[in-house]
Amino acid sequence: MKAGKAKSEQRKGLFVLVSVILAACGANISTVNPAPSNPAALPSLISADSLVALMSRGPVRILDVRQQWTDYLLNHLPEAEWAQVESFRAAERGLPFQLLSGDSYRSLFQRLGVDRSAPVVIYSAGDANDIDATYLAWLLAGMGHTGVRVLDGGYAKWVLDSRPLGRTYPRIDPPAAMQGRFNPEAAGLAEVRAVVQGNGTVLVDARSAAQFAGTAGAQRRRGHIPGAIDHPWASDLETRDLALVWKPADALRASYVTQGITPDKPIIVYCNTGTEASHLWFALRAILHYPNVRIYTGAWSEWSEREDTPVVSGP
């Protein structure tokens, strides 16, 4: 009996040891090749009418990401707070425009009164800076927030619809900081190198056609990453009733599928700094529900500055 019990204890100990080893290996694999974040945390698009209805049902955190602080002081959506997008990234080891730590984001969003108890609506000017709203939505998705919306048409559409504006600041008591792992859908330099070598992942460039071709751009080298598909972020928008708004989902889907950007393939999107790429990420993940889309956070700013990365000029 004692011998049988001893063997049983040995087997139990071995099982625990193997479980620990497998868990550790799983953690390492996850670190190297993270799975897409929780689909329930994906943001969505919201119309002005739907925002009015949402505000009537309870508290909503509204974030104004227009770049000029004077625009916010002049007027803004009722109860909106101003959020400067550049506060949410900084240089790291000399490389500009990089993500902050999870603790930094928890602190920043806490100051804005953002937690998981209330929905968040983000709006831009509704023009060329629509990318700032989608960038913040991408960050909040990485924080696991399940109630994030981007206002379609932004501030411009709200004004064109003769909606109310305010000049007072919301009085918000900071909530407890959001907990949980910061896990954005992001890719690094090594993963993009693997794409260039041919691993079946689709690489999509969100910059303008001129920057893709190498006839424009501010970086050391001009052009694009080999194998990338040119899909300028602004092509996902259209002017409707004098406002710049998102194209219908069917039109968006057709534009991507025609280029071979299909939901059955893993996709990495990139631009100059990450904001333009976030617009494509929002289109593919939040509107079209593609399952595997990540942003190359080093962006063209990293790739073009290096000496050991290939660059292609021309269409």
Side-chain angles (χ1 to χ4, degrees):
M1 291 289 290
K2 289 184 179 179
K5 184 177 182 181
K7 286 183 180 179
S8 176
E9 293 296 329
Q10 285 178 341
R11 285 194 296 268
K12 186 183 294 183
L14 181 60
F15 176 79
V16 171
L17 178 61
V18 170
S19 298
V20 170
I21 292 172
L22 288 174
C25 291
N28 290 337
I29 291 170
S30 178
T31 300
V32 173
N33 186 20
S37 61
N38 179 11
L42 289 175
S44 59
L45 201 60
I46 189 170
S47 67
D49 286 340
S50 296
L51 174 54
V52 171
L54 184 67
M55 293 168 67
S56 70
R57 295 197 294 268
V60 180
R61 296 289 175 260
I62 303 177
L63 303 181
D64 182 326
V65 295
R66 291 178 294 168
Q67 292 191 356
Q68 294 298 323
W69 58 269
T70 50
D71 290 342
Y72 176 80
L73 297 182
L74 182 63
N75 58 52
H76 45 263
L77 270 65
E79 296 300 301
E81 298 176 274
W82 187 63
Q84 169 55 261
V85 170
E86 294 308 324
S87 300
F88 292 85
R89 56 188 186 176
E92 183 179 14
R93 298 181 180 180
L95 180 61
F97 316 116
Q98 296 309 291
L99 294 176
L100 307 179
S101 67
D103 285 341
S104 296
Y105 287 125
R106 277 184 276 275
S107 177
L108 283 166
F109 286 121
Q110 182 182 31
R111 289 181 63 133
L112 291 168
V114 172
D115 65 5
R116 294 187 179 90
S117 68
V120 179
V121 175
I122 311 164
Y123 71 89
S124 66
D127 53 18
N129 292 320
D130 199 49
I131 53 181
D132 293 338
T134 54
Y135 187 77
L136 211 58
W138 174 68
L139 290 177
L140 279 167
M143 295 295 296
H145 199 301
T146 59
V148 179
R149 281 94 161 172
V150 170
L151 180 61
D152 194 12
Y155 173 87
K157 182 70 166 62
W158 185 269
V159 172
L160 285 169
D161 289 347
S162 300
R163 305 282 182 182
L165 296 166
R167 299 191 69 177
T168 59
Y169 314 138
R171 271 53 176 181
I172 296 174
D173 293 325
M178 286 187 289
Q179 297 303 308
R181 182 185 172 202
F182 175 53
N183 185 31
E185 297 188 344
L189 178 65
E191 291 163 292
V192 179
R193 287 187 190 275
V195 176
V196 172
Q197 293 169 2
N199 67 354
T201 296
V202 177
L203 189 62
V204 187
D205 190 322
R207 299 172 302 151
S208 69
Q211 290 182 336
F212 182 86
T215 58
Q219 287 86 353
R220 281 183 70 207
R221 293 186 291 168
R222 293 179 174 181
H224 58 269
I225 300 174
I229 298 171
D230 181 25
H231 188 99
W233 70 271
S235 65
D236 289 343
L237 302 176
E238 65 181 13
T239 301
R240 196 183 314 143
D241 299 327
L242 301 179
L244 197 61
V245 297
W246 284 83
K247 290 179 178 177
D250 288 345
L252 279 177
R253 184 176 293 104
S255 70
Y256 281 102
V257 170
T258 298
Q259 292 185 285
I261 306 168
T262 53
D264 58 312
K265 304 167 187 172
I267 298 165
I268 294 177
V269 294
Y270 77 93
C271 60
N272 286 308
T273 68
T275 49
E276 293 165 304
S278 75
H279 207 266
L280 267 60
W281 176 88
F282 188 91
L284 293 169
R285 288 288 278 140
I287 298 178
L288 300 180
H289 306 296
Y290 277 39
N292 192 343
V293 185
R294 291 179 290 161
I295 295 176
Y296 169 32
T297 53
W300 182 247
S301 293
E302 177 182 43
W303 189 273
S304 63
E305 187 269 343
R306 299 178 63 94
E307 300 288 350
D308 59 348
T309 50
V311 168
V312 175
S313 296

